[in-house]
Amino acid sequence: MSRFVDTMVANAQAGGTQRGMVTGEPSEPVRRTWAEVHGRARRLAGSLVGGGFESGGAVAVLAAAPELIAPTVQGVWLAGGSVTMLHQPTPRTDLAHWAADTLQVLRMIGSDLVLLGEPFGQLAPVLDENGIQYRTIETLLEAEPIAEPVSAAEEDLALLQLTSGSTAEPKAVRITHGNLFSNISAMARRSELDPGSDVMVSWLPTFHDMGMVGFLTVPMTFGVELVKVTPVEFLSAPLLWPDLITRYDGTITAAPNFAYAIVGRRLARVDDGDAYDLSKLRIALNGAEPIDDTAVATFTDAGGRFGMPAECVFPAYGLAEATLAVSFAPLSTGLTVDVVEAGPLESENRAVAVPEDDERRGTEQVRGFAVLGRPLDGIEAQIVGAGGDVLGEREVGEIRLRGDAITPGYLTVDGPMATQDAEGWFATGDIGYLVDGQIVICGRSKDVIILGGRNVYPTDVERAASSVDGVRAGNAVAVRIDAGTRRERFAVVLESKAAGDEAEQARIVKEVTARVRDAVDARPYSVLVLPTGSLPKTPSGKVQRGATAEQYRDRMDAGA
């Protein structure tokens, strides 16, 4: 067996009777030990192998309930296959389009089988109509268990991780058993993971790398207690998250920045100082999107009332092409913000540090970025300029990565595509710099707004817009207009409960324009105010910048 599967099986057999996974909160909580999960996984693997599944085959999974997903993905690995978590339709999804996209994904990964579980059993007729073969997970779990796991080599595929927004032009990141073991082991070491005492609490979706790798595969492999709910449960009742941390003595959790902003605001409105106990939380990982120090402060200030230590905030940098994690900030240090001069950053690609006692701090003359820590064991990082030359400390360029956790390539509709150059480096598309060996991210190269030779980062625009009263926090997006032309411009698209109120809307537009102009010394071409729920988002609640840009262009073309 691969080191990954061997470790997971050994922990399930050794310590799996004490620790396990709680699912079904808040309505019908169920706890199964990792030994019980492993037993169900062996039955599912036995059903697959008994049905003719061949080692190395790809299996697509469509389910949301964690109690079904855990034995399913482990069972596929025990059967020698790779897992692809399909994009999940929402109530607004056109099912005909979704079925066509799903067929395209299945052809791309070379699979003709979907394992179907709740709450998507109702999609069976749609799959039938489109000739998509499927088997229900519940049925597979009733089979005779596999005698022994099918062997897998380190270079065999374990995960085919669909990239965000890949339904139109699907692309899957190829993650091998070796990639997976390297990354989860490095994360466990850097976070000082203790299976005997740590309790992980998560609502992150399993079709996202943070939810699948970080908060299902890691605890399942190393035998760590896990409390797992779905994004729907969190988004419908955000305070469920601190409630679960309280009731289960959670020590480790994670989320994108927007979720901490939401929960921080909700906690601040709780009158009862004994409503929650967050004192045992030692890691609150913040990753997957830019980290806003204002949102973090809102979260730590509110959490402090319930015993939460501010130093539990754990900034991180990751991407699917590195399996999951690239770098972690040092433990128990909280958020560190690197404050730099705006001029050299935007015009010269230099991150010039601003001293702590400098009067420019807090003005439009500076920019602040979260320090995301050193690369994990087995990963190297370097910054390169436009010509490919390696840059020095505090010189801004594209981040490149190399190491055991880096994917060997993508699968696309046109076939495999390599990701590494001749020396093994992967170009991330992220723009940033190094400070004492720690990674700092400024933004994505494709999103940078170029104004008169200056590089304006969308996060600076969005932070300024979100500071205006009436703008929903985390729901303002900077959109590039005329990208790549000599007269590149930008607009701001935002959500507000005041949308439709002409007077309030006019005030918001005026104040956003002024705040943005003050922050980045540039005036937005336009500010578009939309009702709550209008911005395109991922199922986990993150705003999609590219889709928002398309939405803006469509509205402008229609004369909105």
Side-chain angles (χ1 to χ4, degrees):
M1 289 182 285
S2 69
R3 292 172 297 165
F4 160 56
V5 174
D6 187 55
T7 302
M8 182 163 53
V9 171
N11 278 320
Q13 294 173 340
T17 55
Q18 287 79 42
R19 296 176 294 276
M21 178 173 69
V22 176
T23 60
E25 285 279 9
S27 55
E28 298 178 356
V30 174
R31 185 180 183 276
R32 287 190 172 91
T33 67
W34 289 123
E36 290 172 324
V37 172
H38 180 63
R40 301 177 87 205
R42 291 181 83 100
R43 288 193 289 273
L44 187 137
S47 183
L48 287 177
V49 173
F53 179 76
E54 296 183 0
S55 176
V59 176
V61 178
L62 181 62
E67 67 106 7
L68 291 180
I69 292 172
T72 298
V73 298
Q74 187 179 148
V76 172
W77 290 325
L78 295 178
S82 67
V83 172
T84 300
M85 299 300 296
L86 293 175
H87 289 291
Q88 299 178 357
T90 68
R92 298 181 181 180
T93 300
D94 184 312
L95 291 182
H97 290 164
W98 173 84
D101 292 337
T102 299
L103 277 169
Q104 191 175 32
V105 167
L106 293 175
R107 286 193 294 268
M108 179 184 72
I109 67 174
S111 175
D112 59 2
L113 176 63
V114 173
L115 302 188
L116 187 64
E118 292 304 318
F120 299 111
Q122 59 190 356
L123 292 176
V126 178
L127 300 179
D128 284 328
E129 291 169 10
N130 289 273
I132 300 174
Q133 297 185 51
Y134 66 91
R135 298 180 68 180
T136 63
I137 293 172
E138 290 86 348
T139 300
L140 294 175
L141 292 174
E142 297 173 357
E144 287 297 314
I146 192 172
E148 291 294 334
V150 176
S151 62
E154 297 296 326
E155 64 270 17
D156 288 346
L157 293 179
L159 277 175
L160 288 168
Q161 177 69 52
L162 296 178
T163 58
S164 298
S166 62
T167 51
E169 295 182 1
K171 182 170 65 175
V173 181
R174 298 161 57 208
I175 302 299
T176 68
H177 282 252
N179 291 150
L180 200 51
F181 186 76
S182 174
N183 203 231
I184 64 175
S185 299
M187 286 191 289
R189 287 192 298 270
R190 186 67 64 86
S191 63
E192 299 180 5
L193 189 66
D194 184 350
S197 61
D198 275 321
V199 177
M200 303 176 73
V201 178
S202 174
W203 52 267
L204 298 169
T206 50
F207 52 80
H208 186 275
D209 51 357
M210 195 191 296
M212 168 56 76
V213 178
F215 281 79
L216 180 58
T217 305
V218 165
M220 188 163 63
T221 302
F222 296 117
V224 182
E225 189 73 16
L226 171 68
V227 181
K228 185 98 172 162
V229 297
T230 68
V232 171
E233 275 130 9
F234 164 70
L235 293 171
S236 59
L239 289 179
L240 172 64
W241 187 15
D243 178 56
L244 293 175
I245 293 171
T246 298
R247 288 193 285 116
Y248 290 95
D249 292 330
T251 63
I252 300 175
T253 194
N257 187 83
F258 84 89
Y260 289 110
I262 291 173
V263 170
R265 291 195 304 272
R266 297 293 182 94
L267 283 175
R269 295 199 293 266
V270 175
D271 293 328
D272 182 3
D274 296 322
Y276 304 102
D277 179 3
L278 307 180
S279 61
K280 295 181 176 64
L281 194 61
R282 70 180 188 88
I283 291 178
L285 188 148
N286 190 326
E289 65 180 20
I291 298 173
D292 181 0
D293 59 333
T294 301
V296 170
T298 299
F299 173 68
T300 55
D301 289 348
R305 296 175 53 227
F306 305 103
M308 188 188 79
E311 59 270 20
C312 74
V313 173
F314 195 58
Y317 170 43
L319 65 170
E321 289 84 353
T323 304
L324 173 58
V326 173
S327 67
F328 284 169
L331 278 170
S332 303
T333 59
L335 173 64
T336 298
V337 177
D338 189 47
V339 180
V340 300
E341 296 179 7
L345 175 72
E346 296 172 355
S347 302
E348 304 168 21
N349 287 322
R350 294 189 302 119
V352 179
V354 177
E356 289 190 13
D357 58 354
D358 195 302
E359 61 184 13
R360 292 174 297 173
R361 283 184 172 243
T363 73
E364 70 279 0
Q365 300 177 52
V366 303
R367 301 286 182 263
F369 301 102
V371 180
L372 305 175
R374 295 176 182 273
L376 299 182
D377 296 344
I379 295 179
E380 299 175 77
Q382 64 177 204
I383 312 297
V384 297
D389 52 317
V390 179
L391 302 179
E393 183 96 346
R394 291 193 170 276
E395 292 185 305
V396 180
E398 183 177 17
I399 298 171
R400 296 202 308 186
L401 303 172
R402 182 169 66 180
D404 295 337
I406 307 302
T407 175
Y410 299 111
L411 281 184
T412 73
V413 291
D414 299 318
M417 184 174 74
T419 54
Q420 301 177 11
D421 66 14
E423 296 179 343
W425 290 104
F426 166 67
T428 65
D430 290 322
I431 302 300
Y433 57 96
L434 298 177
V435 177
D436 297 327
Q438 299 193 74
I439 295 174
V440 178
I441 306 292
C442 301
R444 292 284 293 170
S445 59
K446 66 180 180 180
D447 296 328
V448 174
I449 303 162
I450 303 174
L451 300 174
R454 294 171 52 221
N455 293 333
V456 174
Y457 294 97
T459 49
D460 293 325
V461 175
E462 292 158 0
R463 188 176 294 117
S466 295
S467 69
V468 172
D469 185 42
V471 177
R472 293 189 68 211
N475 286 270
V477 181
V479 173
R480 298 171 75 188
I481 307 173
D482 305 323
T485 68
R486 294 180 62 184
R487 298 187 68 250
E488 188 163 308
R489 299 172 293 177
F490 70 96
V492 177
V493 184
L494 59 88
E495 287 185 2
S496 174
K497 293 180 179 179
D501 181 327
E502 290 188 11
E504 268 297 284
Q505 197 164 299
R507 178 193 63 80
I508 290 172
V509 169
K510 181 178 179 180
E511 290 189 19
V512 166
T513 300
R515 294 276 180 91
V516 169
R517 185 185 61 233
D518 290 343
V520 300
D521 194 27
R523 181 187 179 94
Y525 173 74
S526 65
V527 176
L528 182 60
V529 181
L530 301 177
T532 298
S534 298
L535 289 175
K537 297 181 180 180
T538 66
S540 60
K542 294 189 331 184
V543 173
Q544 295 178 304
R545 187 174 281 128
T548 301
E550 292 180 12
Q551 183 186 66
Y552 174 82
R553 286 191 290 269
D554 290 343
R555 286 178 175 270
M556 293 302 102
D557 291 343

